[in-house]
Amino acid sequence: MNDAGKPVYSLSVYHVDRASLRQEEIVHRVRPGSRFDRVEDFEPVGRTSSVPPPDARPGGIALNPRTRKILGHLPPRAQELLQAPFLDGQRLLRQDFYYLGYEGGGDLEVFCMVFAGPQDVTAVEGTRTIPAGHTESSAHWDLTAYQAGVTKRRGA
């Protein structure tokens, strides 16, 4: 609460079915100058991704422009795993990301992105490094992707 007695933060909690939790390691390495050394090759799945998931709906899911931009920098497999539960029409209730580092071309010591809907939560977490001779679009990513079914929600 602030000095005026108004809430400053809200907390959303998604309880998940632990038995449904799946995770996948994503180690992404691109050679400088290769076919994937362009950010536009990493557009979010459902639009123009080079690695569309099976049965992807045209148009993909509704993402705000900032989330779409950040998602577009992730490796195709990370994009696919984050969006997969929401491509069949499940409404996206939350789309959040956080990083520690420099978005515009530097390493990201911490990176995480979360998508949550009424039935599923997906997330990726990890790091991005840009070795000498590489660009932001040929960065090396070390990520873990998670997906789980939601059993209960509390908060906003």
Side-chain angles (χ1 to χ4, degrees), residues 10 31 39 41-42 49 140 149:
S10 67
R31 291 184 320 276
V39 170
D41 285 329
F42 296 111
S49 173
H140 292 181

Side-chain angles (χ1 to χ4, degrees), residues 40-68:
E40 56 269 15
D41 285 329
F42 296 111
E43 281 295 315
V45 169
R47 279 189 26 183
T48 59
S49 173
S50 57
V51 185
D55 305 315
R57 288 186 324 135
I61 59 177
L63 298 174
N64 68 50
R66 181 100 168 111
T67 300
R68 182 172 294 283

Side-chain angles (χ1 to χ4, degrees), residues 1 11 14 24 28 31 33-34 38 44 49 53 62 79 89 101 103 105 110-111 113 117 124 126 135 142-143 153 156:
M1 302 293 224
L11 183 64
Y14 290 78
E24 181 176 318
H28 183 77
R31 291 184 320 276
S34 73
R38 295 186 318 275
S49 173
Q79 293 181 34
E103 176 188 348
V110 174
F111 177 85
M113 182 171 269
V124 296
T135 65
D142 292 288
L143 300 166
R153 292 181 301 151

Side-chain angles (χ1 to χ4, degrees), residues 20-28 71 74-85 111-115 121-127 141-148:
S20 74
L21 179 64
R22 295 184 300 276
Q23 71 182 62
E24 181 176 318
E25 301 298 318
I26 300 168
V27 177
H28 183 77
L71 181 66
L74 294 176
R77 182 65 179 154
Q79 293 181 34
E80 181 180 348
L81 292 171
L82 274 167
Q83 297 180 87
F111 177 85
C112 63
M113 182 171 269
V114 177
F115 289 176
V121 172
T122 60
V124 296
E125 56 88 15
T127 62
W141 289 90
D142 292 288
L143 300 166
T144 304
Y146 303 92
Q147 180 180 359

